[in-house]
Amino acid sequence: MEINKLVRKNILALKPYSSARDEFERVDEILLDANENPYESEVNRYPDPYQRTLKKAISKIKGVNSANIFLGNGSDEAIDILLRIFCEPGKDEIIIPDPTYGMYQVSAAINNVNTIKIPLSKNFELDPEDVLSVHSETTKLLFICSPNNPSGNSFKKEDIVKLIENFDGMVVLDEAYCDFSEQDSMLKELSGHNNLIILQTMSKAWGMAGLRLGMAFASTEIIKLMNKVKPPYNINTLSQKMALKALGNIDQMRKSVTELLKQRNLLNGTLNELPIINKVFPSDANFLLVRFSDAQSVYKQLIKKGIVVRDRTTVLHGENCLRLTIGTSEENQTLIKALNSII
Ligand SMILES: *Cc1c(COP(=O)(O)O)cnc(C)c1O
């Protein structure tokens, strides 16, 4: 696909801010270029604008070259930057399945970009033909979240591939929950498809939501555009350091994923036996979407007991549904106890 045709003209023409540290990797030079304070604290220097050390570590784990990686202040920053690169405010639009992660539409609205919603089936399945049939010249981005939030299911790999191969625009595949999923990440599809952008995050399986570190994987062409648009020092020094440390201990991440999946299955089994629950939707992530007979009442009673869950009753096909994040064994048992007392 000819990517430049999809890019906003002002972004193509943009001469980016050139930061003092753009050209070289910092060694022990005398740094008198950036008006920093010379006295050592952990953070007196500006961070590496391209996060080279961190990207090397991510590159090793993901099997993707550093040149194909963008890091953002959360995936949310990557989503916003993609909108700003591809969508002309007041003119272009994005496509999202409905229901899905709320930030795509909010971020689009902030950028004055319209959202076309493609309803999922009652079981939250996606029909790729529905998406392909609404595409027009002004639809630039398609967001697909798999496993999907808030439903928890993964979409079929062949359907996603079909969309990548037939959608006449950029496909942003959000894999925030891929480490919990039985399906493999689609990172391997990157090399054959230059209209594919994959988002992942340190916020879920890696247990670092407070860090704000999102990853985007794409062709070098797209990564260059993203680097051009991002604020120069978007990932702070402390986040880069802490992420690097966490990436060095992949076993710990895997252990927590294994434990959470075990907890999810336990919780799933118990919930299915509760009379106030009509349905537990199958999940490929670290949460369960659950249909109650009276979700509002359950929600309020849980709040009174100090348990906060996510009310999804107003989303499409989410009637009487609450989304429950999998907690520690103790937290899940407390939740079950609370639900039992509601009966
Ligand atoms: C939680 C979540 C994210 C993570 O966003 P960050 O900004 O990286 O914390 C991204 N996408 C989806 C679908 C999510 O549910």
Side-chain angles (χ1 to χ4, degrees), residues 1-9 12 86 221 225:
M1 188 174 296
E2 212 184 309
I3 302 296
N4 280 354
K5 270 195 193 158
L6 296 166
V7 178
R8 290 169 68 200
K9 295 216 166 49
L12 276 181
F86 291 104
E221 202 180 353
L225 287 164

Side-chain angles (χ1 to χ4, degrees), residues 271 274-278 290-311 313 320-324 335-336 338-343:
L271 292 175
L274 295 184
I276 55 166
I277 286 173
N278 295 344
V290 180
R291 177 162 289 136
F292 292 81
S293 21
D294 185 354
Q296 300 284 356
S297 152
V298 170
Y299 181 82
K300 280 185 205 141
Q301 294 184 65
L302 286 177
I303 291 274
K304 274 197 199 131
K305 294 171 195 289
I307 300 174
V308 190
V309 299
R310 188 85 157 122
D311 182 345
T313 55
N320 272 317
C321 285
L322 302 178
R323 193 191 66 195
L324 315 178
L335 171 69
I336 294 287
L339 288 173
N340 267 315
S341 76
I342 285 169
I343 304 162

Side-chain angles (χ1 to χ4, degrees), residues 8 14 20 25 32 36 39 63 88 115-116 146 149 168 172 181 198 229 250 263 267 274 292 294-295 323 326 330:
R8 290 169 68 200
L14 177 73
E25 250 171 291
L32 305 177
E36 296 151 330
Y39 302 114
E88 200 61 49
T115 298
I116 300 174
S146 182
N149 180 5
D168 209 7
V172 186
S181 171
I198 294 180
V229 172
I250 194 166
Q263 288 300 323
L267 190 63
L274 295 184
F292 292 81
D294 185 354
R323 193 191 66 195
I326 309 303
E330 296 75 33

Side-chain angles (χ1 to χ4, degrees), residues 152-168:
N153 59 314
S154 293
F155 299 127
K156 287 193 205 110
K157 183 176 173 184
E158 65 258 36
D159 287 347
I160 297 174
V161 170
K162 185 173 192 177
L163 284 169
I164 298 165
E165 291 186 341
N166 294 288
F167 184 76
D168 209 7

Side-chain angles (χ1 to χ4, degrees), residues 73-77 79 100-101 104 145 147-149 174-177 199-204 209 212-215 287 323:
N73 187 10
S75 313
D76 293 345
E77 186 178 42
I79 293 166
T100 192
Y101 183 46
Y104 313 134
C145 178
N148 189 39
N149 180 5
D174 189 340
E175 295 189 331
Y177 299 97
L199 303 181
Q200 294 185 8
T201 179
M202 298 292 285
S203 296
K204 307 288 158 63
R212 309 310 302 131
L213 196 72
M215 305 169 255
F287 57 85
R323 193 191 66 195

Side-chain angles (χ1 to χ4, degrees), residues 163-195:
L163 284 169
I164 298 165
E165 291 186 341
N166 294 288
F167 184 76
D168 209 7
M170 305 302 301
V171 177
V172 186
L173 178 63
D174 189 340
E175 295 189 331
Y177 299 97
C178 68
D179 291 308
F180 300 103
S181 171
E182 296 205 347
Q183 274 189 38
D184 287 340
S185 154
M186 303 263 286
L187 284 174
K188 285 192 200 75
E189 303 295 322
L190 277 177
S191 55
H193 303 101
N194 70 348
N195 67 328

